[in-house]
Amino acid sequence: MSGPLAVTSMRVTLPAATSLPTAVEPSCYSRLTNEWFCGQYLVDRRDELVEATVEHIWITVAAVAFGVLLAFPLALLARRYPRLEATVLGVSTGLYTIPSLALFPLLVPFTGLSRTTVVIGLGLYALTILVRSMLEGLRAVPEEVRESATGLGYGASKLLLRIELPLALPVIMAGLRVATVSTVALTTVGSLVAFGGLGNLIKDGVNTNFRAELLAAAVLCVVLAILLDVVLVLAQRMLTPWTRGASA
Amino acid sequence: MDAGGERMTVLGDAWRYLTTAANWTGNGGMLELMLQQLLLSVTALALALAVGLPLALWLGHLGRGGFLAINISNVGRAVPTFALLALLVTFDFPGRGDFGPYGRAGLATLIALALFALPPIITNSYVAVREVSPDVKESAVGMGMTGPQQFFRVELPLALPLVVSGVRLALVQVWATATIAALVAGPGLGRVITDGFFRTNYGKGIAGAVVVAAVALVLEVIAALAQRAVTPPGAGSPDRVEETAEDPRTLGTPVGSAGG
């Protein structure tokens, strides 16, 4: 969805492709000219760009989803057993300290040169941010609210799902946005194991000194981060209608 | 399963690479690359501190520019380190030429490192000074302190733990970015990783990763100790900016834009 969208929106800002017969004359991305902005490149390599963008989105979404799946039980555990909290936060901060270019190789013996390696690695980074925001969000629920709900006969799981999670959602979503935007950026490093989405194009662009490819992929990355952020903001507004309007 | 056997081979290769002295010493050995990367990281951090710290502290003192402090972090997060590095070495300037002791594409790497160290430094320092309790500031004024006195005797000491926590985040970020520099033909230890992977010598790549990760953890521990040293006893652990930030969007974002 965002792939073609981003491509067309970029093309608008570019100088119109020359009217020269492209089959004979060097296009703006030939080795001779090697221009940074090249509409012809976007047209000719459209499939490649769309494919890389789709892979990028897929890796990002899978990694963040993996992070959420891990973070939620961990946050609940850390809240339930305060003694575990320091361990959970310590380990996830330690993981975060390891540079991504080093984390992926450390996973390779277990998951091979595969998309899984990148998804797990990025998921572990997202985990750090997500656990903290989930803990903070749940902590921010006022004690009175919790007591009232218990007084009304809410059990532990109903309390969590119907009262605490909705109230914690703004903080959790803030963490989710940060995690998603960082993951989009970090996915590019996956090109080390050949699964980096747009990062593969960036790497190829550097190696072959192909400027149009490099810039297009870099811009697409940033556009993708912004688009996903906007999607999450909209999702949050839909999920928390009570935070909107004067009555909130 | 076949995969199990393969895994053992790769890990064995990595172990052999790490335990072979020749891989550490000599020209282009891991020790030399490690020193090169440490030099790069320290220089970039110093540059970022020289630029970002006075600016952020001053803005925090004035209580202006919060917009800048928050947004610089968000932008830093969205721009891939790798993409920026790739662009810098492909531009005519700074390009991928050697730069003194910083090695191949040294200048481009330094610029990228310094840029990515700025967001945590600026955001944390700004918020640290900004969030000094208004009561304390009022008392300082009431005691007849001048602006600079207020800043150096009251605001700065109270802000210091959070400022140092920003520097700590910047250090993690700088080390990570310096590693990624190798992916675009840059200097440093990351080259052991990329050489290993691009020449299908996975043992070497994994060995490089182990060293990079170990140094990262050591740096983090040193920074954590430094942070503890500047925290007055009884003040609790000053954690990340976001716990005190006013903007709810930054709540729960513990680690800035690090991890690159």
Side-chain angles (χ1 to χ4, degrees), chain A residues 99, chain B residues 37-38 41 171-179 189 212 215-216 219:
Chain B
Q37 189 169 338
L38 283 171
S41 302
L171 182 67
V172 171
Q173 173 72 35
V174 159
W175 184 257
T177 312
T179 314
L189 266 179
V212 166
V215 176
L219 288 177

Side-chain angles (χ1 to χ4, degrees), chain A residues 39-60:
Chain A
Q40 196 59 44
Y41 163 73
L42 299 180
V43 176
D44 292 354
R45 304 286 186 88
R46 189 158 171 254
D47 294 346
E48 196 180 278
L49 282 165
V50 170
E51 195 186 323
T53 309
V54 168
E55 187 185 63
H56 205 108
I57 296 174
W58 199 93
I59 291 175
T60 303

